[in-house]
Amino acid sequence: MEVHFSADVRTKLSRLATEQGRDSETLVQEAVERMVNYDEWLLAEVEKGLAQIVSGQTSSHEEVGARLDKYLSQKQPPV
């Protein structure tokens, strides 16, 4: 597979590779692998969510608001 980048991206990639003491090809391979893994994970999560909707496992607007309020109150120091 051959991929072409703009001159600007090639320059940035080369600089980044040099700063990290690595070669550009390895950086590109790792970046593509991370992106593919993330997209795969995200699609699986969306499918799980859709399956929950189909099976009726949903929350009302009020329930979500209450859960969010509870979560945020636990993250904030008491006033």
Side-chain angles (χ1 to χ4, degrees):
M1 174 184 294
E2 194 171 316
V3 180
H4 301 280
F5 298 105
S6 69
D8 184 48
V9 170
R10 284 194 308 268
T11 300
K12 291 175 183 177
L13 181 59
S14 180
R15 181 176 29 83
L16 186 60
T18 300
E19 289 171 0
Q20 293 184 15
R22 305 165 72 196
D23 64 280
S24 326
E25 185 176 335
T26 300
L27 290 181
V28 170
Q29 288 174 342
E30 290 173 359
V32 170
E33 185 175 352
R34 278 193 306 272
M35 182 200 68
V36 168
N37 288 341
Y38 175 78
D39 284 357
E40 195 173 57
W41 168 83
L42 181 60
L43 181 58
E45 292 300 305
V46 168
E47 292 296 329
K48 283 185 346 190
L50 292 173
Q52 289 174 332
I53 291 170
V54 169
S55 69
Q57 298 174 357
T58 60
S59 299
S60 71
H61 179 77
E62 291 76 18
E63 291 169 325
V64 171
R67 287 177 63 188
L68 182 58
D69 287 343
K70 180 180 177 185
Y71 173 79
L72 292 175
S73 71
Q74 293 172 350
K75 296 294 179 184
Q76 300 292 326
V79 178

